[in-house]
Amino acid sequence: TTRLCVATDATCSGLQILAGLARDRKTAQLVNVLPSERPQDAYKVVAETAKQHIPNSLHNVWDRKCVKRTVMTIPYNAKPFSNRSYIRDALKEKGFEIEQEDLTVTVNAVRDAMHNVVPGCLDVMKWIEDEVARVFKRGYDQLRWKTPSGFIVNQRIMKKKVERFNLQLLGNCKVSAKTYELDEDGNPVVDLKRHKAATAPNLIHSLDASLLHLSVQQFDKPIALIHDSVLSRACDMDELSAIIRETYMHLFAEHDYLT
């Protein structure tokens, strides 16, 4: 018995959730959802896959740390602009300043590597974007879904009204006011672009929350949570580990959530 608490993190939780949704065995293996002889490292696999397509000048400093934040955030719909800053910052920590053109080539190589390494996950994200567009074409003005733990998600994103003001000190400023663009009938206009970008991340977060919610209901011991990191007493970690895995299996192996 001990009061000492320890924390464990998921292996790229966004990819874990997407692997379950897609029934993607290859990705599930890479993020330690499926058992293997040794712990798997999805970041290292993506880095090695991308390495053959990045500039030669990067090869001596290129490793998993260079792609980690990009791989972590692409499941949450991170775009090339943020990918650039993450890769640039990781290389800068190693004392390497990358040229703009080389950075563009490198970002493209990492994103292409993601398509090769975890294709099922990215296919799910693309399907979600396409389905969102179809939903709003049918006349809906918001998205609504129920998570496995019973939480109702309402996603309503409307186009904000933007106005320009000439200010004496700041000059011409663009201000996003707390009002919405209106159509001919006076109704707020749906922001389809933001809905398409937000739905996959919000769905992943809602399922991640359900996984923790349903797990904690079965675990009557001290616990603390920060997103995909769980902290409990060292003597309780075996039980918590088993519960989380059983709950994941319940959510994704016993149910077809996307259907």
Side-chain angles (χ1 to χ4, degrees):
T1 301
T2 178
R3 293 182 180 179
L4 177 66
C5 286
V6 294
T8 60
D9 287 11
T11 307
C12 200
S13 62
L15 286 179
Q16 288 183 331
I17 300 296
L18 285 169
L21 288 173
R23 305 285 178 86
D24 184 344
R25 184 179 185 85
K26 179 182 177 184
T27 302
Q29 190 93 48
L30 276 176
V31 292
N32 299 304
V33 168
L34 289 178
S36 57
E37 293 182 3
R38 301 178 63 183
Q40 300 296 300
D41 187 345
Y43 307 122
K44 182 179 179 180
V45 173
V46 172
E48 290 176 348
T49 304
K51 187 173 183 177
Q52 56 189 313
H53 301 293
I54 64 174
N56 291 333
S57 57
L58 294 178
H59 284 198
N60 289 335
V61 295
W62 189 253
D63 61 14
R64 67 188 298 279
K65 291 183 179 179
C66 298
V67 305
K68 183 175 181 179
R69 290 189 70 188
T70 298
V71 174
M72 286 175 60
T73 55
I74 283 180
Y76 300 102
N77 237 338
K79 300 303 182 185
F81 179 80
S82 59
N83 301 160
R84 292 177 70 88
S85 63
Y86 296 153
I87 292 173
R88 184 195 298 113
D89 291 347
L91 290 170
K92 191 176 291 186
E93 287 182 8
K94 296 172 175 291
F96 188 93
E97 292 287 344
I98 187 170
E99 300 291 335
Q100 292 296 328
E101 291 184 4
D102 287 347
L103 182 58
T104 300
V105 171
T106 303
V107 168
N108 291 337
V110 173
R111 293 184 70 90
D112 289 343
M114 288 285 287
H115 281 278
N116 290 327
V117 174
V118 291
C121 295
L122 299 185
D123 285 346
V124 166
M125 293 180 65
K126 179 64 168 60
W127 177 84
I128 290 171
E129 281 197 10
D130 292 343
E131 184 61 24
V132 166
R134 287 191 285 269
V135 166
F136 288 109
K137 284 182 180 178
R138 295 198 292 267
Y140 290 86
D141 66 352
Q142 62 181 304
L143 296 177
R144 178 184 173 94
W145 65 87
K146 183 178 181 179
T147 70
S149 63
F151 183 76
I152 304 297
V153 180
N154 291 293
Q155 181 175 287
R156 186 173 186 267
I157 307 175
M158 315 306 269
K159 287 187 177 180
K160 291 182 179 179
K161 188 176 181 180
V162 178
E163 296 187 15
R164 287 193 174 275
F165 297 92
N166 282 310
L167 307 178
Q168 288 184 331
L169 293 179
L170 299 177
N172 190 280
C173 294
K174 185 168 71 172
V175 178
S176 181
K178 289 186 178 180
T179 56
Y180 299 114
E181 285 186 24
L182 303 178
D183 60 20
E184 295 177 354
D185 299 323
N187 299 313
V189 178
V190 171
D191 193 332
L192 179 58
K193 183 177 180 180
R194 287 184 60 210
H195 265 293
K196 289 171 71 174
T199 303
N202 286 341
L203 177 64
I204 292 170
H205 281 305
S206 72
L207 292 172
D208 206 0
S210 283
L211 175 58
L212 290 175
H213 184 186
L214 294 172
S215 297
V216 169
Q217 286 181 325
Q218 305 171 62
F219 186 72
D220 189 23
K221 294 179 175 64
I223 189 169
L225 308 165
I226 304 176
H227 185 45
D228 68 337
S229 176
V230 294
L231 181 143
S232 70
R233 296 180 304 189
C235 54
D236 300 329
M237 190 55 78
D238 280 354
E239 179 185 351
L240 178 59
S241 177
I243 287 173
I244 289 174
R245 283 159 173 75
E246 290 166 1
T247 305
Y248 181 97
M249 185 177 70
H250 169 71
L251 293 186
F252 299 111
E254 298 174 7
H255 297 87
D256 191 350
Y257 190 77
L258 285 185
T259 298

